[in-house]
Amino acid sequence: NAGVTQTPKFRVLKTGQSMTLLCAQDMNHEYMYWYRQDPGMGLRLIHYSVGEGTTAKGEVPDGYNVSRLKKQNFLLGLESAAPSQTSVYFCASSYGDKKETQYFGPGTRLLVL
Amino acid sequence: GDSVTQMEGPVTLSEEAFLTINCTYTATGYPSLFWYVQYPGEGLQLLLKATKADDKGSNKGFEATYRKETTSFHLEKGSVQVSDSAVYFCALSRYGNKLVFGAGTILRVKS
């Protein structure tokens, strides 16, 4: 049982490049989330999903897109990376009547030059 | 909107010292309150939670009491260890699955 895994662990991009971050969970959780973590600001919700095929915007969705084609995977896309998107990205999942208890992945560190 | 305010860090303590990390919140109604911990190089994990006023959450020697009258959820531990060194996040949830996090407090424990 791997829990929540994220790929890649670290990536450097040039401004304008695109990339996709992959989150996978093997706990059969309905809910999945993408956060970004910036110094002094805690975690901010980018997008989330309440089930396969559904997505919704969080607090800071601009510049990102997401997809949840399979229940176990939640993809975060950056179509045209900007230096302001330099951050650590965390994926999380939760389930059922304990959906407030979220399980986090180890994070992806992204540097946009 | 909803918000969480934590004391600024880093907090540096000697082993076996008493720990308090302050957390206050702003939200209408009755949110659920949480403390998450992030150890170096890892993702966040739930430390404890409380879902209604006067509830006390506890885990691994840490405690926090939901104080509605002061809108606070301070984290305490009687005797910290080096292994407690981490970043601690206070959070609230008012809409089910959505969490609102504080900025985090770095704790460093010296032997």
Side-chain angles (χ1 to χ4, degrees):
Chain A
N1 190 338
V4 179
T5 58
Q6 293 182 231
T7 308
K9 287 184 170 53
F10 176 69
R11 184 77 181 268
V12 179
L13 288 180
K14 295 181 180 178
T15 297
Q17 287 185 318
S18 64
M19 78 164 294
T20 300
L21 283 66
L22 171 64
C23 175
Q25 52 94 5
D26 60 2
M27 298 175 284
N28 203 34
H29 287 176
E30 299 98 330
Y31 304 90
M32 296 188 75
Y33 317 83
W34 276 107
Y35 293 91
R36 59 178 289 171
Q37 182 183 28
D38 300 296
M41 301 187 72
L43 276 74
R44 293 181 291 169
L45 183 64
I46 305 171
H47 286 281
Y48 65 100
S49 168
V50 301
E52 182 178 329
T54 71
T55 63
K57 294 180 180 179
E59 180 185 356
V60 288
D62 294 342
Y64 305 95
N65 56 74
V66 289
S67 64
R68 183 109 182 259
L69 299 180
K70 294 183 179 180
K71 186 177 185 179
Q72 63 268 33
N73 295 337
F74 195 30
L75 278 64
L76 177 71
L78 286 73
E79 290 186 349
S80 180
S84 61
Q85 294 178 303
T86 292
S87 188
V88 180
Y89 292 85
F90 286 100
C91 177
S93 69
S94 64
Y95 70 99
D97 59 356
K98 295 186 177 181
K99 55 183 178 292
E100 295 174 326
T101 301
Q102 297 183 12
Y103 296 80
F104 284 79
T108 294
R109 187 173 296 273
L110 177 65
L111 175 62
V112 183
L113 301 176
Chain B
D2 297 344
S3 66
V4 175
T5 302
Q6 295 181 228
M7 62 187 292
E8 289 190 20
V11 174
T12 302
L13 296 173
S14 298
E15 216 168 13
E16 299 184 3
F18 185 85
L19 168 71
T20 299
I21 300 178
N22 290 338
C23 171
T24 58
Y25 68 90
T26 300
T28 56
Y30 299 92
S32 295
L33 302 174
F34 306 81
W35 278 101
Y36 277 81
V37 58
Q38 183 182 27
Y39 297 104
E42 299 182 9
L44 281 72
Q45 55 185 275
L46 179 66
L47 181 59
L48 53 86
K49 68 177 183 180
T51 58
K52 60 183 187 293
D54 300 324
D55 266 3
K56 177 184 284 188
S58 61
N59 186 24
K60 299 181 181 179
F62 291 88
E63 292 183 341
T65 301
Y66 190 143
R67 299 291 187 197
K68 180 69 175 174
E69 63 277 12
T70 55
T71 62
S72 64
F73 193 54
H74 304 322
L75 182 67
E76 296 181 336
K77 186 175 185 183
S79 177
V80 294
Q81 306 300 313
V82 173
S83 58
D84 294 325
S85 298
V87 183
Y88 292 82
F89 292 91
C90 186
L92 69 81
S93 174
R94 196 161 61 86
Y95 297 116
N97 55 308
K98 291 186 185 178
L99 287 170
V100 175
F101 287 90
T105 302
I106 297 172
L107 172 64
R108 296 178 180 145
V109 181
K110 297 182 176 180
S111 60

